[in-house]
Amino acid sequence: MSGGAQVRALQPGYLIVGNWKMNKGPAEAPALADAIVGAVGSPRCAVAICPSFVSLPAVMARLEGSPVALGAQTCATAQSGAFTGEVSPTMLSEVGVRYVILGHSERRQHSGETDASVAARIRAALDAGLRPILCVGESEAQRECGETEALLSSQLKGALGGLSGDQMAKVAVAYEPIWAIGTGKTATEAQAEATCAFIRGQLSELFDDDIAAGTPILYGGSMNAQNAAGLLSCPNINGGLVGGASLKPDDFAAIVAAADRLEAENHVG
Ligand code: 13P
């Protein structure tokens, strides 16, 4: 990897986000939220969980007064209007959502999200006061063909190009190699660090060194209780976007605890 590993993260403080994907409807979600709140205790780092749209109000009721924030898994490109089936960032904000995952590879693959539509969603989310988590990442074939950097570069530029520094200060980026999602095949620490360093370098080119250094860059893809500490200790990794393990309160709490230990050691937060 090349291009910008020299821009060192300012250690923005760890952010651990659970993406429940299409699991846990309103009947089951409150119990999982309760278990997660109980298991994570009082973390130093920032923690959020992202249930499906229909479970958001029920989960919010359980997160009230807890250190765990609510997130959503996508949002519409506009705040209201003739967009049948869509959910706007303003609506999400009304139910207490603070973060929104955008451009997840599963949405790019199955629901037609493109860099252009992700860019519009990011702007709409920011307008509603939400914090977007932009997902980028390559397929196995793209990595093998040496296309990772070009792809990440165009995903970042396509989604973030033209944002102001103030807008970018609210955005986190998640590096999620598609081949590591739900496969149990995690990127090695060296691969994840090199790629996140490349992403930070791209942010430096798109914005400036300070914005790049202050942007939380999360790793996602089979992060679990065993590999979290190693991945999170990489200098350019500021958190995790956790799928399967976020449905298991003890495993999710172990990831949060790993981030907390590192945050305490680094004296950040
Ligand atoms: P897994 O942790 O299940 O691999 O999922 C990662 C992911 O896609 C989070 O958004």
Side-chain angles (χ1 to χ4, degrees):
M1 289 280 166
S2 61
Q6 70 278 7
V7 182
R8 180 70 166 72
L10 275 184
Q11 297 291 356
Y14 285 102
L15 168 61
I16 305 295
V17 180
N19 176 7
W20 290 3
K21 307 194 178 182
M22 198 174 70
N23 296 292
K24 308 292 174 187
E28 291 179 319
L32 179 57
D34 284 346
I36 286 176
V37 169
V40 301
S42 304
R44 278 173 179 261
C45 66
V47 180
I49 52 177
C50 305
S52 81
F53 286 142
V54 290
S55 299
L56 288 170
V59 170
M60 188 63 223
R62 304 307 178 103
L63 299 186
E64 218 89 58
S66 89
V68 180
L70 188 65
Q73 299 174 17
T74 187
C75 69
T77 57
Q79 307 302 346
S80 64
F83 297 95
T84 302
E86 294 292 316
V87 177
S88 81
T90 301
M91 293 170 179
L92 295 175
S93 173
E94 279 175 29
V95 296
V97 166
R98 290 191 35 219
Y99 295 91
V100 59
I101 299 168
L102 291 171
H104 192 283
S105 59
E106 289 154 12
R107 298 222 35 100
R108 293 180 193 255
Q109 188 186 347
H110 304 301
S111 302
E113 288 194 13
T114 61
D115 289 336
S117 85
V118 172
R121 288 168 218 274
I122 288 176
R123 281 155 182 77
L126 288 167
D127 287 346
L130 303 184
R131 304 197 59 159
I133 301 169
L134 167 67
C135 299
V136 296
E138 80 289 358
S139 67
E140 189 151 39
Q142 286 165 325
R143 176 163 280 266
E144 277 165 9
C145 295
E147 292 169 2
T148 301
E149 291 190 358
L151 176 83
L152 295 176
S153 178
S154 77
Q155 286 181 327
L156 292 165
K157 199 170 173 187
L160 302 175
L163 290 184
S164 69
D166 283 352
Q167 287 176 312
M168 192 57 205
K170 303 277 191 304
V171 176
V173 175
Y175 169 54
E176 295 211 311
I178 295 169
W179 46 271
I181 295 177
T183 58
K185 190 173 163 186
T186 318
T188 64
E189 288 165 29
Q191 283 172 325
E193 166 58 17
T195 312
C196 290
F198 174 77
I199 289 170
R200 204 175 297 284
Q202 292 294 297
L203 296 178
S204 175
E205 282 177 25
L206 279 173
F207 299 96
D208 61 37
D209 284 1
D210 285 347
I211 290 173
T215 302
I217 300 180
L218 318 184
Y219 168 81
S222 299
M223 185 178 269
N224 59 37
Q226 287 71 44
N227 61 29
L231 288 160
L232 293 170
S233 66
C234 296
N236 279 287
I237 298 179
N238 312 113
L241 183 51
V242 185
S246 73
L247 298 169
K248 301 176 191 157
D250 291 344
D251 290 23
F252 188 63
I255 296 171
V256 171
D260 269 0
R261 275 194 301 276
L262 290 159
E263 196 151 312
E265 282 168 22
N266 293 333
H267 306 292
V268 294

